[in-house]
Short mmCIF file of all heavy atoms in Angstrom, two decimals:
data_model
loop_
_atom_site.label_atom_id
_atom_site.label_comp_id
_atom_site.label_asym_id
_atom_site.label_seq_id
_atom_site.Cartn_x
_atom_site.Cartn_y
_atom_site.Cartn_z
N LEU A 1 19.32 130.46 77.14
CA LEU A 1 18.07 131.12 77.52
C LEU A 1 17.27 130.26 78.50
O LEU A 1 16.71 130.77 79.48
CB LEU A 1 17.23 131.41 76.28
CG LEU A 1 17.73 132.55 75.38
CD1 LEU A 1 17.05 132.49 74.02
CD2 LEU A 1 17.47 133.91 76.03
N ALA A 2 17.21 128.95 78.23
CA ALA A 2 16.42 128.06 79.07
C ALA A 2 16.99 127.99 80.48
O ALA A 2 16.26 128.09 81.47
CB ALA A 2 16.36 126.67 78.44
N VAL A 3 18.29 127.81 80.60
CA VAL A 3 18.91 127.71 81.92
C VAL A 3 18.76 129.03 82.68
O VAL A 3 18.44 129.06 83.87
CB VAL A 3 20.40 127.32 81.80
CG1 VAL A 3 21.09 127.39 83.16
CG2 VAL A 3 20.53 125.92 81.21
N MET A 4 18.96 130.13 81.97
CA MET A 4 18.86 131.46 82.59
C MET A 4 17.46 131.69 83.15
O MET A 4 17.29 132.12 84.30
CB MET A 4 19.20 132.51 81.53
CG MET A 4 19.45 133.89 82.05
SD MET A 4 19.95 135.01 80.72
CE MET A 4 21.57 134.35 80.31
N GLU A 5 16.45 131.36 82.37
CA GLU A 5 15.07 131.58 82.81
C GLU A 5 14.69 130.60 83.92
O GLU A 5 13.96 130.95 84.85
CB GLU A 5 14.10 131.45 81.63
CG GLU A 5 12.68 131.77 81.99
CD GLU A 5 12.07 132.83 81.10
OE1 GLU A 5 12.75 133.81 80.79
OE2 GLU A 5 10.92 132.67 80.70
N CYS A 6 15.18 129.40 83.81
CA CYS A 6 14.93 128.39 84.82
C CYS A 6 15.46 128.85 86.18
O CYS A 6 14.77 128.78 87.19
CB CYS A 6 15.59 127.09 84.38
SG CYS A 6 15.37 125.69 85.45
N LEU A 7 16.69 129.34 86.20
CA LEU A 7 17.30 129.81 87.44
C LEU A 7 16.62 131.07 87.97
O LEU A 7 16.43 131.24 89.18
CB LEU A 7 18.78 130.09 87.22
CG LEU A 7 19.67 128.89 86.90
CD1 LEU A 7 21.06 129.36 86.49
CD2 LEU A 7 19.76 127.95 88.11
N ASP A 8 16.24 131.95 87.08
CA ASP A 8 15.73 133.26 87.47
C ASP A 8 14.26 133.22 87.88
O ASP A 8 13.84 133.91 88.81
CB ASP A 8 15.92 134.24 86.30
CG ASP A 8 15.86 135.69 86.73
OD1 ASP A 8 16.06 135.97 87.93
OD2 ASP A 8 15.64 136.56 85.87
N ALA A 9 13.45 132.41 87.17
CA ALA A 9 12.01 132.39 87.42
C ALA A 9 11.55 131.20 88.25
O ALA A 9 10.41 131.17 88.69
CB ALA A 9 11.26 132.42 86.09
N GLY A 10 12.42 130.19 88.41
CA GLY A 10 12.05 129.05 89.24
C GLY A 10 11.20 128.00 88.54
O GLY A 10 10.76 127.04 89.17
N GLN A 11 10.95 128.18 87.24
CA GLN A 11 10.18 127.18 86.50
C GLN A 11 11.07 125.98 86.18
O GLN A 11 12.26 126.14 85.91
CB GLN A 11 9.65 127.79 85.19
CG GLN A 11 8.76 129.00 85.38
CD GLN A 11 7.41 128.64 86.00
OE1 GLN A 11 7.07 127.48 86.15
NE2 GLN A 11 6.64 129.66 86.35
N VAL A 12 10.47 124.79 86.20
CA VAL A 12 11.27 123.59 85.93
C VAL A 12 11.69 123.57 84.46
O VAL A 12 11.00 124.09 83.58
CB VAL A 12 10.49 122.31 86.30
CG1 VAL A 12 10.23 122.27 87.79
CG2 VAL A 12 9.19 122.19 85.52
N LEU A 13 12.83 122.95 84.22
CA LEU A 13 13.45 123.03 82.91
C LEU A 13 12.58 122.43 81.82
O LEU A 13 12.57 122.90 80.69
CB LEU A 13 14.82 122.33 82.95
CG LEU A 13 15.75 122.60 81.77
CD1 LEU A 13 15.97 124.08 81.57
CD2 LEU A 13 17.09 121.90 81.99
N ARG A 14 11.82 121.39 82.14
CA ARG A 14 10.97 120.77 81.12
C ARG A 14 9.91 121.75 80.59
O ARG A 14 9.53 121.69 79.43
CB ARG A 14 10.29 119.51 81.66
CG ARG A 14 9.33 119.77 82.82
CD ARG A 14 8.52 118.55 83.17
NE ARG A 14 9.36 117.48 83.72
CZ ARG A 14 8.90 116.24 83.95
NH1 ARG A 14 7.65 115.94 83.68
NH2 ARG A 14 9.70 115.33 84.48
N ILE A 15 9.46 122.65 81.45
CA ILE A 15 8.50 123.68 81.03
C ILE A 15 9.22 124.79 80.29
O ILE A 15 8.77 125.28 79.25
CB ILE A 15 7.76 124.25 82.26
CG1 ILE A 15 6.83 123.18 82.86
CG2 ILE A 15 6.98 125.50 81.89
CD1 ILE A 15 5.65 122.81 82.01
N VAL A 16 10.37 125.21 80.80
CA VAL A 16 11.09 126.34 80.22
C VAL A 16 11.57 126.03 78.81
O VAL A 16 11.54 126.89 77.93
CB VAL A 16 12.25 126.76 81.14
CG1 VAL A 16 13.11 127.82 80.46
CG2 VAL A 16 11.72 127.31 82.46
N ARG A 17 12.03 124.81 78.57
CA ARG A 17 12.49 124.47 77.22
C ARG A 17 11.39 124.71 76.20
O ARG A 17 11.63 125.24 75.11
CB ARG A 17 12.95 123.00 77.16
CG ARG A 17 14.25 122.69 77.88
CD ARG A 17 15.42 123.51 77.35
NE ARG A 17 15.81 123.14 76.00
CZ ARG A 17 16.72 122.25 75.66
NH1 ARG A 17 17.35 121.58 76.61
NH2 ARG A 17 17.04 122.04 74.41
N ALA A 18 10.17 124.33 76.53
CA ALA A 18 9.04 124.55 75.62
C ALA A 18 8.75 126.04 75.45
O ALA A 18 8.39 126.49 74.35
CB ALA A 18 7.80 123.82 76.14
N GLN A 19 8.92 126.81 76.53
CA GLN A 19 8.67 128.24 76.45
C GLN A 19 9.69 128.95 75.57
O GLN A 19 9.36 129.88 74.84
CB GLN A 19 8.67 128.84 77.85
CG GLN A 19 7.52 128.41 78.71
CD GLN A 19 6.18 128.89 78.17
OE1 GLN A 19 5.91 130.07 78.12
NE2 GLN A 19 5.36 127.96 77.73
N VAL A 20 10.94 128.54 75.64
CA VAL A 20 11.96 129.13 74.78
C VAL A 20 11.66 128.82 73.31
O VAL A 20 11.81 129.69 72.44
CB VAL A 20 13.36 128.62 75.18
CG1 VAL A 20 14.42 129.08 74.17
CG2 VAL A 20 13.73 129.13 76.57
N ALA A 21 11.24 127.60 73.04
CA ALA A 21 10.86 127.25 71.67
C ALA A 21 9.69 128.12 71.19
O ALA A 21 9.66 128.56 70.04
CB ALA A 21 10.50 125.77 71.58
N ARG A 22 8.72 128.36 72.08
CA ARG A 22 7.59 129.24 71.73
C ARG A 22 8.05 130.66 71.47
O ARG A 22 7.54 131.36 70.58
CB ARG A 22 6.57 129.25 72.87
CG ARG A 22 5.37 128.35 72.69
CD ARG A 22 4.37 128.86 71.65
NE ARG A 22 3.96 130.23 71.92
CZ ARG A 22 3.00 130.57 72.77
NH1 ARG A 22 2.39 129.64 73.48
NH2 ARG A 22 2.67 131.83 72.93
N ALA A 23 9.04 131.12 72.23
CA ALA A 23 9.55 132.48 72.04
C ALA A 23 10.16 132.63 70.66
O ALA A 23 9.93 133.63 69.96
CB ALA A 23 10.57 132.81 73.12
N ALA A 24 10.94 131.64 70.23
CA ALA A 24 11.50 131.68 68.88
C ALA A 24 10.40 131.60 67.83
O ALA A 24 10.43 132.29 66.81
CB ALA A 24 12.49 130.53 68.70
N GLU A 25 9.39 130.77 68.11
CA GLU A 25 8.27 130.63 67.17
C GLU A 25 7.51 131.94 67.02
O GLU A 25 6.99 132.24 65.94
CB GLU A 25 7.34 129.52 67.66
CG GLU A 25 6.19 129.22 66.71
CD GLU A 25 5.19 128.24 67.28
OE1 GLU A 25 5.42 127.72 68.39
OE2 GLU A 25 4.17 127.98 66.61
N ASN A 26 7.42 132.72 68.09
CA ASN A 26 6.73 134.01 67.98
C ASN A 26 7.36 134.87 66.89
O ASN A 26 6.65 135.49 66.08
CB ASN A 26 6.79 134.75 69.32
CG ASN A 26 5.86 134.15 70.36
OD1 ASN A 26 4.87 133.50 70.03
ND2 ASN A 26 6.19 134.35 71.63
N PHE A 27 8.68 134.92 66.83
CA PHE A 27 9.35 135.71 65.79
C PHE A 27 9.18 135.08 64.41
O PHE A 27 8.94 135.79 63.43
CB PHE A 27 10.83 135.89 66.13
CG PHE A 27 11.10 136.92 67.18
CD1 PHE A 27 11.38 136.55 68.48
CD2 PHE A 27 11.04 138.27 66.87
CE1 PHE A 27 11.62 137.50 69.45
CE2 PHE A 27 11.27 139.24 67.84
CZ PHE A 27 11.56 138.85 69.14
N ALA A 28 9.30 133.76 64.33
CA ALA A 28 9.15 133.09 63.03
C ALA A 28 7.73 133.27 62.50
O ALA A 28 7.53 133.51 61.30
CB ALA A 28 9.47 131.61 63.18
N PHE A 29 6.75 133.18 63.38
CA PHE A 29 5.35 133.33 62.99
C PHE A 29 5.07 134.73 62.46
O PHE A 29 4.50 134.92 61.37
CB PHE A 29 4.45 133.02 64.18
CG PHE A 29 2.99 133.24 63.93
CD1 PHE A 29 2.24 132.27 63.29
CD2 PHE A 29 2.36 134.40 64.35
CE1 PHE A 29 0.88 132.47 63.05
CE2 PHE A 29 1.01 134.61 64.12
CZ PHE A 29 0.27 133.64 63.47
N TYR A 30 5.48 135.74 63.22
CA TYR A 30 5.19 137.11 62.80
C TYR A 30 6.10 137.59 61.67
O TYR A 30 5.80 138.61 61.03
CB TYR A 30 5.22 138.06 63.99
CG TYR A 30 3.92 138.03 64.75
CD1 TYR A 30 3.82 137.37 65.98
CD2 TYR A 30 2.78 138.60 64.22
CE1 TYR A 30 2.62 137.31 66.66
CE2 TYR A 30 1.57 138.55 64.90
CZ TYR A 30 1.49 137.91 66.11
OH TYR A 30 0.29 137.85 66.77
N ALA A 31 7.18 136.86 61.41
CA ALA A 31 7.98 137.18 60.22
C ALA A 31 7.12 137.04 58.96
O ALA A 31 7.21 137.86 58.03
CB ALA A 31 9.19 136.25 60.14
N GLU A 32 6.27 136.03 58.93
CA GLU A 32 5.37 135.84 57.78
C GLU A 32 4.31 136.94 57.74
O GLU A 32 3.96 137.44 56.67
CB GLU A 32 4.72 134.46 57.85
CG GLU A 32 5.70 133.30 57.77
CD GLU A 32 6.51 133.34 56.48
OE1 GLU A 32 5.95 133.69 55.42
OE2 GLU A 32 7.72 133.03 56.55
N TYR A 33 3.81 137.31 58.89
CA TYR A 33 2.78 138.36 58.93
C TYR A 33 3.35 139.71 58.51
O TYR A 33 2.62 140.56 57.99
CB TYR A 33 2.20 138.46 60.34
CG TYR A 33 1.04 137.53 60.57
CD1 TYR A 33 1.21 136.15 60.50
CD2 TYR A 33 -0.23 138.01 60.83
CE1 TYR A 33 0.16 135.29 60.70
CE2 TYR A 33 -1.30 137.15 61.04
CZ TYR A 33 -1.10 135.79 60.97
OH TYR A 33 -2.15 134.94 61.16
N ALA A 34 4.63 139.93 58.72
CA ALA A 34 5.24 141.21 58.34
C ALA A 34 5.01 141.51 56.88
O ALA A 34 4.81 142.66 56.48
CB ALA A 34 6.73 141.18 58.64
N GLU A 35 5.04 140.48 56.06
CA GLU A 35 4.93 140.67 54.61
C GLU A 35 3.51 140.63 54.10
O GLU A 35 3.19 141.21 53.06
CB GLU A 35 5.77 139.61 53.90
CG GLU A 35 6.04 139.92 52.45
CD GLU A 35 7.07 138.99 51.84
OE1 GLU A 35 7.43 137.98 52.48
OE2 GLU A 35 7.51 139.27 50.72
N HIS A 36 2.61 139.97 54.83
CA HIS A 36 1.28 139.71 54.26
C HIS A 36 0.12 140.29 55.05
O HIS A 36 -1.01 140.29 54.56
CB HIS A 36 1.07 138.20 54.12
CG HIS A 36 2.09 137.52 53.27
ND1 HIS A 36 2.24 137.78 51.92
CD2 HIS A 36 3.05 136.60 53.58
CE1 HIS A 36 3.22 137.05 51.43
NE2 HIS A 36 3.74 136.33 52.42
#
């Protein structure tokens, strides 16, 4: 995901790696909200 977005959007990899981690965190975070 990081390499794909880096190539496609032109963002440097050090930024994109953090964004991919945030994308996964979005699902993990709202997984808890789904129940409560």
Side-chain angles (χ1 to χ4, degrees):
L1 287 165
V3 173
M4 194 176 291
E5 185 126 318
C6 182
L7 294 171
D8 199 20
Q11 301 290 351
V12 295
L13 194 55
R14 63 171 67 189
I15 292 292
V16 173
R17 289 301 292 268
Q19 292 296 294
V20 172
R22 261 287 307 277
E25 184 186 356
N26 286 336
F27 282 103
F29 176 82
Y30 278 105
E32 297 301 322
Y33 272 63
E35 196 170 10
H36 302 296

